[in-house]
Amino acid sequence: QVQLQQSGTELVKPASSVKISCKASGYTFTSNYMHWIRQQPGNGLEWIGWIYPGNGNTKYNQKFDGKATLTADKSSSTAYMQLSSLTSEDSAVYFCARGGDGLFAYWGQGTLVTVSS
Amino acid sequence: DIQMTQSPSSLPASLGDRVTITCRASQDIGNYLRWFQQKPGKSPRLMIYGATNLAAGVPSRFSGSRSGSDYSLTISSLESEDMADYYCLQSKESPFTFGSGTKLEIK
């Protein structure tokens, strides 16, 4: 069965960076887009972008250009999102979700990132 | 960017009620519309895809419909497990955009 297992909670300092992961199993990792979504505390959902692990192509929401960098490791079937120059505004839960056929039918459990000094 | 205007933001309802949540798209999105349910502390769950198709495992009391640029999610007879937040999403073009959400709560 399809599973997306995300890395654990992160407590990071302002101006630093963080890299969170999403390990996929149960399907062909290289043949499906991986999307990333942000949910700030008490707020709704925002689409950050996608990566196609088969060739590394990416597409970003312009709002997250320069903030988020999406990568993928085919050998471990793991997608990554690096967030840079962190501020309190970046404190949120970040989800990965599978694209392609069954777009957003499968989600990771979410990774909480808290930015605090 | 395509704007998805979702209403209402909050919907008090009683068990057994028929409830409807609506999203209006600012541009043509065809049937590239999905509905999600999210419970506190959980990941969103896909309920409807292609505007009207029930996702796997979703109870038949849920349905989706479209009238022009207005998309609706209807629950025919509300059950306690349906109390959650609901979001629409357009996937017609990037950036994908979500509605602002509807909190369905017990009256």
Side-chain angles (χ1 to χ4, degrees):
Chain A
Q1 71 282 22
V2 174
Q3 290 191 349
L4 301 176
Q5 182 65 39
Q6 294 187 231
S7 50
T9 297
E10 298 274 3
L11 175 59
V12 294
K13 294 193 183 306
S16 69
S17 297
V18 68
K19 191 172 186 177
I20 62 181
S21 66
C22 171
K23 183 172 176 58
S25 61
Y27 72 97
T28 304
F29 178 66
T30 51
S31 299
N32 287 269
Y33 294 81
M34 188 70 79
H35 297 255
W36 291 86
I37 296 95
R38 180 175 84 171
Q39 187 165 38
Q40 292 173 310
N43 283 3
L45 301 163
E46 291 180 280
W47 179 78
I48 296 170
W50 56 250
I51 183 167
Y52 188 73
N55 57 17
N57 284 355
T58 55
K59 177 80 171 178
Y60 295 94
N61 183 338
Q62 195 170 4
K63 178 176 181 177
F64 294 92
D65 259 341
K67 170 62 66 178
T69 302
L70 305 182
T71 57
D73 178 5
K74 290 188 277 190
S75 67
S76 62
S77 298
T78 302
Y80 297 93
M81 178 172 66
Q82 178 160 321
L83 300 168
S84 60
S85 304
L86 292 166
T87 72
S88 58
E89 279 290 300
D90 298 313
S91 293
V93 176
Y94 294 87
F95 295 98
C96 59
R98 199 188 80 167
D101 187 27
L103 175 66
F104 293 129
Y106 302 99
W107 293 66
Q109 80 275 23
T111 295
L112 174 63
V113 174
T114 301
V115 182
S116 174
S117 53
Chain B
D1 297 359
I2 297 174
Q3 306 301 315
M4 300 302 296
T5 303
Q6 186 170 343
S7 62
S9 57
S10 175
L11 183 52
S14 301
L15 299 182
D17 281 356
R18 178 183 180 89
V19 299
T20 297
I21 300 167
T22 299
C23 275
R24 173 168 291 176
S26 64
Q27 301 173 35
D28 175 48
I29 61 169
N31 286 331
Y32 289 88
L33 190 285
R34 293 170 183 253
W35 289 99
F36 297 89
Q37 175 193 70
Q38 187 180 30
K39 296 184 178 180
K42 300 294 188 182
S43 305
R45 174 192 179 188
L46 178 66
M47 305 300 281
I48 300 286
Y49 66 94
T52 61
N53 300 294
L54 211 60
V58 175
S60 59
R61 63 181 179 274
F62 288 87
S63 64
S65 62
R66 173 190 176 188
S67 176
S69 60
D70 290 338
Y71 300 81
S72 297
L73 174 71
T74 297
I75 308 172
S76 60
S77 180
L78 203 57
E79 298 195 6
S80 57
E81 66 185 36
D82 302 333
M83 300 308 171
D85 295 332
Y86 290 84
Y87 297 91
C88 63
L89 166 76
Q90 70 79 18
S91 58
K92 176 73 163 57
E93 64 180 46
S94 297
F96 294 175
T97 44
F98 289 89
S100 54
T102 295
K103 178 175 288 293
L104 187 52
E105 49 198 6
I106 294 178
K107 189 185 294 184

